[in-house]
Amino acid sequence: MIQISENTTLIQPSKIRKMFNKALEYDQVLSFTLGEPDFTASENVVEAGCRAIREGQTKYSANAGLLPLREAISGYLKRTEGQEYDPVSQIVVTPGAMGALYLALKTILNPGDEVIVSEPCWTNYIQQIQMCGGTAVSVQTDPKRGFDLDVEAIRSAVTDRTRAIILNSPCNPTGAVASREALDALAQVAKEFDLAVLADEVYKHILFDGAEYTSLASLPGMAERTLVIDSLSKTYAMTGWRVGFAAGPAEVISQMTKLQENTSACASTPCQCAAIEALNGPQTHLEHMREQYRIRRDYVLERIASIPGLSCSKPQGTFYAFLDIRQSGLDSETFAMRLLEEEQVVLVPGTAFGEFGEGYVRLSYAASMESLEQGFDRIAAFMERCHG
Ligand SMILES: Cc1ncc(COP(=O)(O)O)c(C=O)c1O
């Protein structure tokens, strides 16, 4: 019999997948679970990927990624963050942001080192930290302040084993965007305790109401301790193409590149070619998707406000709404399971994003308006029964 390691046994399957799999048992299901755009990549990007395959750009690339892609990423970071990154030494292209996060954690953690994570959060962070031998230390974001970071709680969580803080803004699952005040305070903590910050920016282009993105790396003294983690998955509707990257201090990027040589070797080469087109080509597809998400978010908020017992703090970004269901009298897993069984609507229990998600469910509005309309009719009927 092949033995499974203790470290692997520790890793729990995600509750998002659990709901997704459970939903397969029902017909006429309306699912609002998965965190990916319901759009596909734009035509010019698809064509660039196909052309790369036809022209034989199908070999391994450099471990750090194709240089023209790293140059395109450097231009994109200059454009979107106002920061300069040397394409040769400060950028590594990875299979998705997940690949970048994993290499980053593997590069910086020794066994038992701690990483501070603000919950509710995308729990892959916790699993990846464990996979790299570290310990995740969770602090709570503040629901009363729209789930903004609680930097005092972060400061109190720092110990002599703390190596890094993970920042995810806009945040999956709450849609919160960290306030400038919180970012300034976070930068102070990172500098005071000499910590790295992994800034997961995969949703930074899905922002509403004129909100502007502030990159942590652009704050004084932060470029040398921030690793920007980003990908084309959400921004360009390219989840399955698996192209992401990390940008940051050269000494960290070179170590991550060394590890990548021994894991995936590189991100898929034709997909890297398509990524160059996505970053350098017209940005109209992104603008269109963002506007569609904004329209849907407004619709979702309107429907939530009209259903007694439901509420939601206004998502400033992403395509998620984090619904407060405490007035239903049900815990979040029971709520999600009963909603599936009784109305065939699938949402993710808030506890899939850590214990502080109790009392909430996540709804992804990366879904058609028609399905959102039907979904909310069913949710309204369910809530009426809960109250009745
Ligand atoms: C916060 C966050 N970071 C990273 C990812 C993974 O992105 P990628 O597809 O680039 O690996 C996701 C995917 O849902 C996410 O929600």
Side-chain angles (χ1 to χ4, degrees):
M1 192 170 112
I2 298 176
Q3 194 179 316
I4 309 297
S5 77
E6 283 167 27
N7 185 276
T8 302
T9 312
L10 264 181
I11 311 300
Q12 298 298 317
S14 127
K15 287 186 189 161
I16 306 184
R17 277 281 153 197
K18 194 176 142 196
M19 282 307 293
F20 183 78
N21 292 339
K22 179 84 188 152
L24 297 175
E25 296 172 17
Y26 294 83
D27 293 329
Q28 311 286 318
V29 161
L30 291 172
S31 180
F32 304 102
T33 54
L34 281 191
E36 62 180 339
D38 54 321
F39 301 93
T40 53
S42 58
E43 258 314 301
N44 57 321
V45 171
V46 173
E47 178 47 34
C50 293
R51 193 168 54 243
I53 293 172
R54 279 196 303 271
E55 291 175 358
Q57 301 222 48
T58 50
K59 307 280 170 79
Y60 295 125
S61 74
N63 298 126
L66 294 171
L67 185 56
L69 175 55
R70 285 180 278 149
E71 286 166 348
I73 292 168
S74 175
Y76 157 92
L77 290 170
K78 174 94 186 124
R79 209 162 66 226
T80 57
E81 317 228 328
Q83 291 295 106
E84 302 274 357
Y85 290 94
D86 173 21
V88 174
S89 62
Q90 291 193 282
I91 294 172
V92 57
V93 178
T94 53
M98 278 192 210
L101 276 164
Y102 184 71
L103 293 180
L105 290 167
K106 195 79 191 156
T107 297
I108 64 178
L109 293 183
N110 281 315
D113 282 349
E114 295 173 1
V115 180
I116 299 177
V117 178
S118 291
E119 282 185 12
C121 74
W122 185 59
T123 49
N124 299 53
Y125 297 137
I126 316 273
Q127 317 276 37
Q128 286 207 356
I129 293 165
Q130 288 175 343
M131 284 161 70
C132 294
T135 304
V137 175
S138 298
V139 300
Q140 190 175 9
T141 48
D142 189 354
K144 291 194 202 75
R145 290 186 301 118
F147 296 99
D148 197 2
L149 297 177
D150 183 343
V151 183
E152 271 320 300
I154 294 175
R155 173 186 286 277
S156 307
V158 176
T159 71
D160 55 2
R161 293 312 307 260
T162 310
R163 293 289 164 266
I165 301 170
I166 294 187
L167 168 69
N168 176 218
S169 172
C171 170
N172 173 11
T174 61
V177 175
S179 63
R180 178 57 198 255
E181 197 189 355
L183 290 178
D184 285 336
L186 187 72
Q188 284 311 324
V189 173
K191 287 188 279 190
E192 191 177 322
F193 296 100
D194 192 20
L195 305 175
V197 181
L198 309 190
D200 178 344
E201 305 190 339
V202 297
Y203 296 101
K204 80 173 179 193
H205 294 285
I206 309 176
L207 279 179
F208 311 120
D209 310 324
E212 278 190 17
Y213 191 73
T214 307
S215 117
L216 193 75
S218 68
L219 302 186
M222 287 307 290
E224 65 247 43
R225 58 180 66 256
T226 305
L227 271 176
V228 172
I229 310 279
D230 197 353
S231 81
L232 286 85
S233 291
K234 323 282 173 176
T235 310
Y236 297 102
M238 293 174 70
T239 45
W241 298 64
R242 310 308 300 135
V243 185
F245 58 89
E251 60 279 13
V252 182
I253 296 295
S254 67
Q255 297 297 326
M256 289 171 64
T257 307
K258 178 179 78 181
L259 297 188
Q260 177 146 273
E261 180 182 352
N262 295 288
T263 50
S264 55
C266 59
S268 147
T269 304
C271 294
Q272 291 190 56
C273 295
I276 298 172
E277 174 61 25
L279 293 169
N280 289 346
Q283 302 295 300
T284 42
H285 191 47
L286 167 58
E287 284 153 25
H288 169 73
M289 291 189 291
R290 185 168 39 220
E291 180 56 7
Q292 294 307 308
Y293 295 139
R294 208 252 330 135
I295 292 169
R296 295 171 194 177
R297 181 210 55 171
D298 289 350
Y299 176 75
V300 163
L301 288 176
E302 201 184 296
R303 290 296 304 258
I304 291 170
S306 73
I307 301 176
L310 277 190
S311 62
C312 178
S313 95
K314 190 176 187 179
Q316 297 162 281
T318 72
F319 37 65
Y320 306 113
F322 207 50
L323 280 57
D324 183 341
I325 50 119
R326 285 173 294 180
Q327 286 191 43
S328 69
L330 304 174
D331 64 66
S332 49
E333 287 195 37
T334 309
F335 183 99
M337 205 43 88
R338 275 190 49 192
L339 186 65
L340 169 60
E341 287 163 359
E342 296 174 26
E343 295 288 343
Q344 287 77 58
V345 171
V346 204
L347 304 181
V348 183
T351 46
F353 308 97
E355 60 175 310
F356 299 127
E358 183 51 86
Y360 295 83
V361 288
R362 189 192 75 176
L363 177 143
S364 164
Y365 48 88
S368 72
M369 269 304 243
E370 198 191 346
S371 65
L372 286 169
E373 282 163 16
Q374 284 179 30
F376 271 101
D377 290 346
R378 296 186 193 182
I379 293 170
F382 177 75
M383 285 301 289
E384 212 174 304
R385 278 203 304 284
C386 282
H387 275 90

